[in-house]
Amino acid sequence: MSDARHHVVVLGAGFGGLEFTRALAGAPVRITMIDKRNHHLFQPLLYQVATTALATSEVAWPIRHLLRKRRDVTTLLANVTGVDRAGKRVLLDDGSAVAYDTLVLATGARHAYFGHDEWEPFAPGLKTLEDATTIRRRILLAFEQAEREPDAARREALLTIAIVGGGPTGVELAGTIAELAQDTLRGEFRNIDTRQTRVVLIEAGDRILANFAPKLSDYAGKALQRLGISVELGRAVTRCDADGVVFGDTVLPARTILWAAGVAASPAAEWLGAKADRAGRVLVEPDLSVPGSPEIFVIGDAAHVLRPDGRPVPGVAPSAKQEGRHVAATVKARLAGDTSPRPFHYKHAGDLATIGKRAAAIDFGWIKLTGWLAWWLWGIAHIYFLIGFRNRLAVSLSWLWIYVTGQRSARLITQGDDDKT
């Protein structure tokens, strides 16, 4: 029996897609959620999976479980290959198609290597659970290989970790890896002293945390240096390979390179045949719809959205959720017969970054905080946005244990060593 209700198709179960679906509850529609993975990922804490602080199950949840009480929602595990705008169909890789009345693309972002995709095997980025477990394996294997490496130069390269990109992800990775080497692993090896690990943060710009106030950038740089981290500014990376990384005229032998320097949007613009910015984000209308197709919306990292001052809306969870709620309200209004323009207005909630387990920087605009208090506020904010009491409790206990003892429990090398770099 066919269902005559207005059919809404959502591509992507990230922050934007889930928030849109949640906000559309009660509307006279049926919803199909399509994602190529079966889980929703809390990306702000993904770096803690990569650095052994949290387990994968503490930052990801099955999509079907999250939507189990929504009888109006059908979830499909599938790969999208395109969008037939004329026929109003989403095309899937098995040759099938899903028809829509309204389409919302919330397909997120992927790594960007500034035209050097050949660097990816040597410098993995951090966007998925698979990325996190790959990075965790490489970091832990570097210590294991250094333990049995007789050559001093090769051992030093194994104990050198280079992080490219001085944004929040790069800063958070650097601080946590330094503490892993200095505290967690101290005394567990016999032939190496993990405290001799060298962590190098490389940023092409003139300061780290460029979106923060300059004094917070200075604070973060000093906090990293107190952890023994080398912060290299003003020199872009020009090479990444199995031997290390080159930035400016410096050649840094490093067997572990992590990429936190840039992102590109998903192929949403290609699927739609729509205009995009240099990062591949769709140039949307003020109401977040696609020019020429008012029934199609793009939100989150896949959309190029400007604030009133001309700056782009940042690709962070709060903005994706705001956009999801806005589009849900627009769809509800249209179904009720209100087709008046509904431009999106972004409200910036602030910028947060942590540096290790005792320091953080928070920029709310009207107030700026650093140090121990900022770290606690950062933790409270992240725990609040986790899904479910069990996960909030588990993460809280894990962080408390790390704070008190310095020990991280998620240090299992669970995948084969397919990394030959």
Side-chain angles (χ1 to χ4, degrees):
M1 183 176 179
S2 62
D3 191 333
R5 289 178 296 173
H6 188 94
H7 188 203
V8 179
V9 175
V10 185
L11 306 185
F15 288 108
L18 273 186
E19 187 68 14
F20 167 81
T21 303
R22 184 202 64 77
L24 204 59
V29 301
R30 60 188 178 96
I31 303 171
T32 298
M33 169 72 76
I34 304 175
D35 200 295
K36 64 182 179 181
R37 292 182 172 83
N38 81 328
H39 55 266
H40 167 73
L41 177 63
F42 191 80
Q43 279 195 350
L45 292 181
L46 189 58
Y47 81 96
Q48 296 209 0
V49 175
T51 54
T52 77
L54 296 176
T56 55
S57 60
E58 292 173 325
V59 300
W61 307 270
I63 299 167
R64 292 187 183 279
H65 177 73
L66 297 177
L67 298 175
R68 67 193 184 282
K69 296 181 180 179
R70 292 289 301 276
R71 304 302 297 177
D72 57 327
V73 180
T74 297
T75 301
L76 300 180
L77 181 67
N79 285 306
V80 174
T81 59
V83 175
D84 175 9
R85 291 171 67 174
K88 299 179 72 172
R89 301 183 306 155
V90 174
L91 309 178
L92 306 181
D93 64 350
D94 63 358
S96 64
V98 179
Y100 64 83
D101 296 308
T102 294
L103 176 62
V104 178
L105 291 94
T107 45
R110 52 189 171 176
H111 315 309
Y113 291 86
F114 309 117
H116 292 279
D117 290 347
E118 70 275 10
W119 294 350
E120 185 171 8
F122 310 105
L126 186 59
K127 284 294 178 184
T128 66
L129 283 180
E130 294 85 355
D131 294 335
T133 53
T134 294
I135 289 173
R136 181 178 66 192
R137 184 174 74 252
R138 291 194 182 193
I139 292 171
L140 294 176
L141 283 175
F143 290 110
E144 297 294 342
Q145 293 165 2
E147 172 77 350
R148 53 188 177 85
E149 176 56 64
D151 182 83
R154 286 197 291 266
R155 187 168 59 248
E156 183 177 351
L158 285 165
L159 292 177
T160 299
I161 299 173
I163 302 166
V164 183
T169 298
V171 168
E172 290 170 345
L173 277 171
T176 309
I177 291 171
E179 290 183 339
L180 172 69
Q182 295 168 11
D183 298 334
T184 306
L185 299 179
R186 183 177 59 187
E188 295 191 0
F189 293 82
R190 299 296 173 262
N191 298 321
I192 61 172
D193 182 351
T194 59
R195 293 174 297 179
Q196 300 303 312
T197 299
R198 185 182 180 194
V199 180
V200 182
L201 181 63
I202 305 167
E203 166 56 44
D206 59 1
R207 62 187 178 98
I208 60 174
L209 299 181
N211 289 335
F212 289 60
K215 71 175 184 179
L216 296 183
S217 296
D218 293 341
Y219 166 82
K222 292 175 182 176
L224 291 172
Q225 291 169 0
R226 285 195 295 271
L227 290 172
I229 298 164
S230 300
V231 179
E232 301 288 346
L233 300 174
R235 289 179 289 174
V237 168
T238 56
R239 192 183 79 200
C240 290
D241 57 28
D243 296 322
V245 60
V246 176
F247 54 100
D249 57 359
T250 299
V251 179
L252 177 67
R255 291 299 304 273
T256 302
I257 308 169
L258 308 180
W259 190 264
V263 296
S266 69
E270 300 172 24
W271 297 341
L272 295 169
K275 291 183 179 180
D277 65 11
R278 290 189 300 173
R281 295 171 295 193
V282 177
L283 299 175
V284 295
E285 299 284 6
D287 66 352
L288 306 180
S289 66
V290 175
S293 296
E295 76 283 0
I296 302 177
F297 297 88
V298 184
I299 62 176
D301 289 337
H304 177 88
V305 186
L306 296 179
R307 307 188 213 185
D309 62 5
R311 291 183 299 160
V313 170
V316 293
S319 61
K321 296 177 76 168
Q322 288 180 38
E323 291 167 11
R325 289 192 295 269
H326 175 83
V327 171
T330 299
V331 171
K332 285 183 176 180
R334 289 182 180 180
L335 291 172
D338 180 3
T339 59
S340 59
R342 296 178 53 85
F344 171 70
H345 300 289
Y346 171 65
K347 297 180 181 178
H348 190 53
D351 297 306
L352 302 87
T354 183
I355 308 110
K357 65 180 182 180
R358 291 184 177 88
I362 296 179
D363 189 349
F364 290 131
W366 56 279
I367 188 172
K368 297 169 176 59
L369 299 173
T370 59
W372 180 85
L373 176 60
W375 186 88
W376 279 101
L377 288 175
W378 173 92
I380 291 170
H382 283 73
I383 289 171
Y384 174 79
F385 285 110
L386 288 170
I387 297 174
F389 174 77
R390 175 189 173 277
N391 293 291
R392 294 188 183 105
L393 179 62
V395 171
S396 298
L397 292 175
S398 293
W399 284 352
L400 180 61
W401 182 253
I402 293 169
Y403 188 84
V404 173
T405 69
Q407 294 302 305
R408 292 167 165 81
S409 58
R411 290 194 283 128
L412 304 180
I413 302 174
T414 55
Q415 296 170 281
D417 181 15
D418 59 358
D419 173 22
K420 302 302 181 184
T421 62

